[in-house]
Amino acid sequence: MQFRAALLIIAALVLPFAPACGGDGDDDRDDYEEAVVETRNRVDTAFGSISEAQTRRDFTQRMDEAAVVIGRAADDLGENDAPEEFEDETNELEAALHELSSDLEGMAAQLRETPQLFDQSAGLSFPGWTNANRVFRTLNEQEIMDMMVGSSI
């Protein structure tokens, strides 16, 4: 009788946690979505800070700082265990963000070396940003980034 009571107590304590042991696809997907949204927010904030520059020197410094933040965001995303169904998108996004980071560093260096580019450039274009946005849109279509509705991406 005591043995049966002990088994019932153990079962009552252990069984509620048993489903968590095998992993839950929804939890993995939610965690992944959270990681992607956090990455997007970090990149967006870093990229947006560039536009707040007050001087040419401040502009290039902010580009360098954004490049570091974006590179770290890409690394963090790459270290996240993405669900298997999103591995391709994760790899593409990580690569695009590293490309954007390099683009920003390169452009900042070029602007410092050739200041007249400030006057000659009608605008800046970064292939890494274009590629990152393409992946963000793909993830949004797969309902990974449904928190982005109404976003500019």
Side-chain angles (χ1 to χ4, degrees), residues 38-93:
E38 180 183 334
T39 300
R40 187 267 337 259
N41 289 345
R42 289 169 65 189
V43 171
D44 200 37
T45 299
F47 216 35
S49 73
I50 297 170
S51 66
E52 297 173 9
Q54 300 297 311
T55 64
R56 290 178 177 186
R57 182 175 182 207
D58 187 27
F59 184 77
T60 57
Q61 183 175 344
R62 287 173 183 261
M63 289 179 77
D64 286 332
E65 291 168 357
V68 170
V69 169
I70 292 167
R72 286 181 184 155
D75 290 340
D76 290 347
L77 180 67
E79 291 171 5
N80 188 354
D81 291 331
E84 189 174 320
E85 64 190 293
F86 298 112
E87 283 181 9
D88 290 343
E89 290 86 348
T90 302
N91 293 335
E92 288 175 31
L93 183 55

Side-chain angles (χ1 to χ4, degrees), residues 62-129:
R62 287 173 183 261
M63 289 179 77
D64 286 332
E65 291 168 357
V68 170
V69 169
I70 292 167
R72 286 181 184 155
D75 290 340
D76 290 347
L77 180 67
E79 291 171 5
N80 188 354
D81 291 331
E84 189 174 320
E85 64 190 293
F86 298 112
E87 283 181 9
D88 290 343
E89 290 86 348
T90 302
N91 293 335
E92 288 175 31
L93 183 55
E94 182 182 6
L97 293 176
H98 279 296
E99 180 182 11
L100 175 58
S101 177
S102 294
D103 290 346
L104 287 169
E105 283 179 332
M107 180 56 71
Q110 209 172 19
L111 289 169
R112 276 191 294 278
E113 291 173 17
T114 315
Q116 58 268 34
L117 288 176
F118 277 104
D119 300 323
Q120 298 171 353
S121 298
L124 299 175
S125 177
F126 300 104
W129 185 235

